Amino acid sequence: MGYRSVFAPDAFAGRTIIVTGAGSGIGRCTAHELASLGAHVVLVGRKQEKLAKVAAELAAEGHASTQHAVDIRDEAAVTAMVAAVVQERGRIHGLVNNAGGQFPSPLSAISKKGFEAVVATNLTGGFLVAREVFNQSMTDHGGAIVNMLADAWNGMPGMGHSGAARAGMFNLTQTAAVEWAFAGVRVNAVAPGWVASSGLDTYEDPFVREMIPMLRKQVPLHRLATEAEVSGAIVFLLSDVAAFISGEVIRIDGAASCNTKAFPLSEHSNSKPYEGFHLAKGPAILDGPKEK
């Protein structure tokens, strides 16, 4: 049993695609889907052991990959990583700018160091990777870039540092779509809402952990997204059928960003998740005590 993608099995045959933040969560899932469609995936992340685990999963299914342990906030390291990929593969066809991270906190409690760390990871680092991929490969060959945003359209209370960075990435996506179009480069983004991913288990704050199982009540589709539902949107934007889509963002939030809170949401279970990732394992926090 392998990845159950809706795309043609050879849709990315012969293509090299970099996935940052590939050691877990959405990045790991996307790497698996792209590999199942014929791509040579370059796994990028901070921890070599996590990348090695994903590479072993891919190898067990007959898919080759390359791993680079890199902190995307390190400009010199990013430049060297992209150069190494170009030297080995000859061309970079796609980039999934997925790496990111944040911690819950009210604005009044965020230090300058904490704010800058989140912006560096969620905005500056993504810019550095995209810039180097463009300058070292795509400016001559074209390609597609998909950036990672978040459902932060009406502010992001409790994570203002991440919301600010994601808003910046949205503008950067639109700017790059215009500036890099001459080279045949498309730049788009996805904006997931709440996803039933391993990242939910990393939050330690008691209030946040109590809130997570309740999140679905704010979503009109009345559930959280699966990693495969986010990956599918990313793969679509990388694919040939999206050849005239650039500067766009796909919201993957079950209509949560449209919820004005004035319209009553009904309790239901009519939205069935797409479970394409055969190795997916939901976060343990959703298996805890049932909501009241």
Side-chain angles (χ1 to χ4, degrees), residues 127-152:
F127 159 70
L128 292 174
V129 178
R131 185 196 68 190
E132 288 308 307
V133 166
F134 176 77
N135 285 342
Q136 296 192 46
S137 178
M138 290 187 179
T139 187
D140 295 322
H141 304 289
I145 297 171
V146 179
N147 294 321
M148 181 61 66
L149 306 184
D151 179 10

Side-chain angles (χ1 to χ4, degrees), residues 1-134:
M1 179 181 178
Y3 199 104
R4 188 168 61 88
S5 178
V6 300
F7 297 92
D10 61 349
F12 293 88
R15 302 187 190 185
T16 296
I17 301 178
I18 295 175
V19 179
T20 68
S24 62
I26 294 169
R28 169 178 172 250
C29 178
T30 304
H32 270 273
E33 181 164 16
L34 288 168
S36 76
L37 300 174
H40 179 96
V41 181
V42 180
L43 308 170
V44 175
R46 284 191 293 172
K47 298 182 178 180
Q48 178 60 44
E49 59 270 23
K50 294 176 70 173
L51 299 178
K53 182 177 179 181
V54 176
E57 293 172 350
L58 294 174
E61 297 173 6
H63 307 309
S65 65
T66 308
Q67 307 90 54
H68 290 272
V70 175
D71 185 340
I72 62 169
R73 298 171 296 183
D74 184 334
E75 183 173 21
V78 169
T79 300
M81 178 272 291
V82 174
V85 175
V86 171
Q87 181 176 15
E88 178 181 349
R89 302 297 303 172
R91 175 184 172 184
I92 299 170
H93 298 80
L95 165 64
V96 181
N97 233 344
N98 167 72
Q102 54 272 316
F103 57 90
S105 176
L107 287 173
S108 58
I110 301 175
S111 66
K112 178 176 182 289
K113 180 179 180 181
F115 190 92
E116 291 180 342
V118 170
V119 171
T121 300
N122 293 342
L123 176 58
T124 309
F127 159 70
L128 292 174
V129 178
R131 185 196 68 190
E132 288 308 307
V133 166
F134 176 77

Side-chain angles (χ1 to χ4, degrees), residues 185-204:
V185 176
R186 298 184 299 104
V187 188
N188 292 291
V190 295
W194 296 307
V195 182
S197 181
S198 58
L200 294 182
D201 285 332
T202 65
Y203 296 118
E204 299 179 354

